[in-house]
Amino acid sequence: PAGDHEAYLRHALSLAQKSPPKPSNYRVGAVLVNAATNEVLSTGYTLELPGNTHAEQCCFEKLAQQHSLDSDAGVDLADVLPDDVALYTTMEPCSFRLSGNLPCVDRILKIGAAKIRTVYVGVYEPEKFVSENSGRQKLQDAGIKYVHVPGLEKDILEVATAGHEK
Ligand SMILES: Nc1nc(=O)c(N)c(NC[C@H](O)[C@H](O)[C@H](O)COP(=O)(O)O)[nH]1
Ligand SMILES: [Zn+2]
């Protein structure tokens, strides 16, 4: 039910608040859920893991570590994920990163639509770093449902941009 979606995004937002503020990215939180059982499979927030890491990326890398997979290559993660997973992320997955690192949309696509059925986002990516995020189209083209959950936009953006010059 819809109420659960907001609860998961609020959980993701509480994770985003752990992210060290930086002027060059957003503070984002993400939660990976087994939609059939409501079990939280993994969580992540921006810069949680060493390196210039994104929230969604940390979700996947932590899951790979849990299964001691030598890499978070999508194919391996697809083997350990149940077949109805939902990704909740306070900001929509990136489709391009100024750092040149692999965008999270591509990480989701590597895992595949047979596993990640739905992506729930709290806000679309603002135009500050990347003029237009093409993630929604790419995910939908791959057969992944893309749902914007309204109501938390102000809180999410406040947290996301805390490291930006006022
Ligand atoms: N969905 C999402 N989760 C994150 O954890 C995060 N930091 C962003 N941010 C998107 C933004 O477009 C990139 O942060 C900039 O493009 C800079 O790129 P890097 O992050 O340095 O690779 N977006
Ligand atoms: Zn990303």
Side-chain angles (χ1 to χ4, degrees), residues 24-28 46 52-56 89 91-94 96-101 125 129-130:
S24 58
N25 69 6
Y26 296 110
R27 299 164 78 220
V28 177
T46 310
N52 179 2
T53 51
H54 279 191
E56 307 92 312
T89 181
M91 182 176 291
E92 66 174 331
C94 60
F96 178 79
R97 295 178 57 166
L98 293 181
S99 68
N101 291 339
E125 179 175 357
F129 302 115
V130 173

Coordinates of all heavy atoms in Angstrom, one line a residue, residues 24-28 46 52-56 89 91-94 96-101 125 129-130, ligand 1:
S24 N 29.7 19.2 -4.3 CA 29.8 18.7 -5.6 C 28.9 17.5 -5.9 O 29.0 16.8 -6.9 CB 31.3 18.2 -5.9 OG 31.6 17.2 -4.9
N25 N 28.0 17.2 -4.9 CA 27.0 16.1 -5.2 C 25.8 16.3 -4.3 O 25.6 17.4 -3.8 CB 27.7 14.7 -4.9 CG 27.9 14.5 -3.4 OD1 27.5 15.3 -2.6 ND2 28.6 13.4 -3.0
Y26 N 25.0 15.3 -4.2 CA 23.8 15.4 -3.3 C 23.9 14.4 -2.2 O 24.5 13.3 -2.4 CB 22.5 15.1 -4.1 CG 22.3 16.2 -5.2 CD1 22.4 15.8 -6.6 CD2 21.9 17.5 -5.0 CE1 22.2 16.7 -7.6 CE2 21.7 18.4 -6.0 CZ 21.8 18.0 -7.3 OH 21.6 18.9 -8.3
R27 N 23.3 14.6 -1.1 CA 23.2 13.6 0.0 C 21.9 12.9 -0.2 O 20.8 13.4 -0.1 CB 23.2 14.3 1.3 CG 24.4 15.2 1.6 CD 24.2 16.1 2.7 NE 24.3 15.5 4.0 CZ 23.5 15.8 5.0 NH1 22.5 16.6 4.9 NH2 23.7 15.2 6.2
V28 N 22.1 11.6 -0.6 CA 20.9 10.8 -0.9 C 20.9 9.5 -0.1 O 22.0 9.1 0.4 CB 21.0 10.4 -2.4 CG1 19.9 9.4 -2.9 CG2 21.0 11.6 -3.3
T46 N 25.0 8.3 0.4 CA 26.1 8.9 -0.4 C 27.3 8.9 0.4 O 27.3 9.4 1.6 CB 25.7 10.3 -0.8 OG1 24.4 10.3 -1.4 CG2 26.7 10.9 -1.8
N52 N 34.2 7.9 -4.1 CA 33.1 8.8 -4.5 C 31.8 8.0 -4.8 O 31.5 7.8 -5.9 CB 33.5 9.7 -5.7 CG 32.5 10.6 -6.1 OD1 31.4 10.7 -5.4 ND2 32.7 11.3 -7.1
T53 N 31.2 7.5 -3.7 CA 30.1 6.5 -3.9 C 28.7 7.1 -3.8 O 28.5 8.1 -3.0 CB 30.2 5.4 -2.8 OG1 30.3 6.0 -1.5 CG2 31.5 4.5 -3.1
H54 N 27.8 6.6 -4.5 CA 26.4 7.1 -4.5 C 25.6 6.2 -3.6 O 26.0 5.0 -3.3 CB 25.8 7.1 -5.9 CG 26.2 8.3 -6.6 ND1 25.6 8.7 -7.8 CD2 27.1 9.3 -6.4 CE1 26.1 9.8 -8.3 NE2 27.0 10.2 -7.4
A55 N 24.5 6.6 -3.1 CA 23.6 5.9 -2.2 C 23.2 4.5 -2.8 O 23.4 3.5 -2.1 CB 22.4 6.7 -1.8
E56 N 22.8 4.6 -4.0 CA 22.3 3.3 -4.7 C 23.4 2.4 -4.9 O 23.3 1.2 -4.7 CB 21.6 3.7 -6.0 CG 20.5 4.7 -5.9 CD 21.0 6.1 -6.1 OE1 22.0 6.5 -5.5 OE2 20.4 6.9 -6.9
T89 N 14.8 5.4 -3.4 CA 15.9 6.3 -3.3 C 15.3 7.7 -3.2 O 14.4 8.1 -3.9 CB 16.8 6.1 -4.5 OG1 17.9 7.0 -4.4 CG2 16.2 6.3 -5.9
M91 N 16.5 10.5 -4.1 CA 16.6 11.2 -5.4 C 16.8 10.2 -6.5 O 17.4 9.1 -6.3 CB 17.9 12.1 -5.4 CG 18.0 12.9 -6.7 SD 19.4 14.1 -6.6 CE 18.8 15.3 -5.4
E92 N 16.2 10.5 -7.6 CA 16.2 9.5 -8.7 C 17.6 9.1 -9.1 O 18.6 9.9 -8.9 CB 15.5 10.1 -10.0 CG 16.2 11.3 -10.6 CD 15.6 11.7 -11.9 OE1 14.9 10.8 -12.6 OE2 15.6 12.9 -12.2
P93 N 17.8 7.8 -9.5 CA 19.2 7.3 -9.8 C 19.8 8.2 -10.9 O 19.1 8.7 -11.8 CB 18.9 5.9 -10.3 CG 17.6 5.5 -9.7 CD 16.8 6.8 -9.7
C94 N 21.1 8.4 -10.8 CA 21.8 9.2 -11.8 C 21.9 8.5 -13.1 O 22.1 7.3 -13.2 CB 23.2 9.6 -11.3 SG 24.3 8.2 -11.0
F96 N 24.0 10.1 -15.4 CA 25.4 10.6 -15.8 C 26.0 11.2 -14.6 O 25.4 11.8 -13.8 CB 25.2 11.7 -16.9 CG 26.6 12.3 -17.3 CD1 27.4 11.6 -18.2 CD2 27.0 13.5 -16.8 CE1 28.6 12.1 -18.6 CE2 28.2 14.0 -17.1 CZ 29.0 13.3 -18.1
R97 N 27.3 10.9 -14.4 CA 28.0 11.5 -13.3 C 29.2 12.3 -13.7 O 30.0 11.9 -14.6 CB 28.6 10.4 -12.4 CG 27.5 9.5 -11.8 CD 28.0 8.4 -10.9 NE 28.9 8.8 -9.9 CZ 29.2 8.0 -8.8 NH1 28.8 6.8 -8.8 NH2 30.1 8.5 -7.9
L98 N 29.3 13.5 -13.2 CA 30.4 14.4 -13.7 C 31.8 13.8 -13.4 O 32.7 14.1 -14.1 CB 30.3 15.8 -12.9 CG 29.1 16.6 -13.3 CD1 29.1 18.0 -12.6 CD2 29.0 16.9 -14.8
S99 N 31.8 12.9 -12.4 CA 33.1 12.3 -12.1 C 33.5 11.2 -13.1 O 34.6 10.7 -13.2 CB 33.0 11.5 -10.7 OG 32.1 10.4 -10.9
G100 N 32.5 10.8 -13.9 CA 32.8 9.8 -14.9 C 32.5 8.4 -14.4 O 32.7 7.4 -15.1
N101 N 32.2 8.3 -13.1 CA 31.9 6.9 -12.5 C 30.6 6.4 -13.1 O 29.8 7.1 -13.7 CB 31.8 7.0 -11.0 CG 33.1 7.3 -10.4 OD1 34.2 7.1 -11.0 ND2 33.1 7.9 -9.1
E125 N 16.2 14.6 -10.1 CA 17.5 15.2 -9.9 C 17.4 16.7 -10.4 O 17.0 16.9 -11.5 CB 18.6 14.5 -10.7 CG 19.9 15.2 -10.5 CD 21.1 14.5 -11.1 OE1 20.9 13.4 -11.6 OE2 22.2 15.0 -11.0
F129 N 23.9 19.9 -11.6 CA 25.2 19.2 -12.1 C 24.9 18.6 -13.4 O 25.8 18.6 -14.3 CB 25.6 18.1 -11.1 CG 25.9 18.6 -9.7 CD1 25.1 18.1 -8.6 CD2 26.9 19.5 -9.5 CE1 25.3 18.6 -7.4 CE2 27.2 19.9 -8.2 CZ 26.4 19.5 -7.1
V130 N 23.8 18.0 -13.6 CA 23.5 17.3 -14.9 C 22.2 17.9 -15.4 O 21.2 17.9 -14.7 CB 23.3 15.8 -14.6 CG1 22.8 15.1 -15.9 CG2 24.6 15.2 -14.1
Ligands
LIG1 N1 20.8 9.6 -7.1 C1 21.9 10.1 -6.6 N2 22.5 9.5 -5.6 C2 23.6 10.0 -5.0 O1 24.1 9.4 -4.0 C3 24.2 11.2 -5.6 N3 25.4 11.8 -5.0 C4 23.6 11.8 -6.7 N4 24.2 12.8 -7.3 C5 23.9 13.1 -8.7 C6 24.9 14.1 -9.3 O2 24.6 14.3 -10.7 C7 26.4 13.7 -9.2 O3 26.7 13.7 -7.8 C8 27.2 14.8 -9.9 O4 27.1 14.6 -11.3 C9 28.7 14.6 -9.5 O5 29.2 13.3 -9.9 P1 29.8 12.4 -8.8 O6 28.8 12.2 -7.7 O7 31.0 13.1 -8.3 O8 30.2 11.1 -9.5 N5 22.4 11.2 -7.2

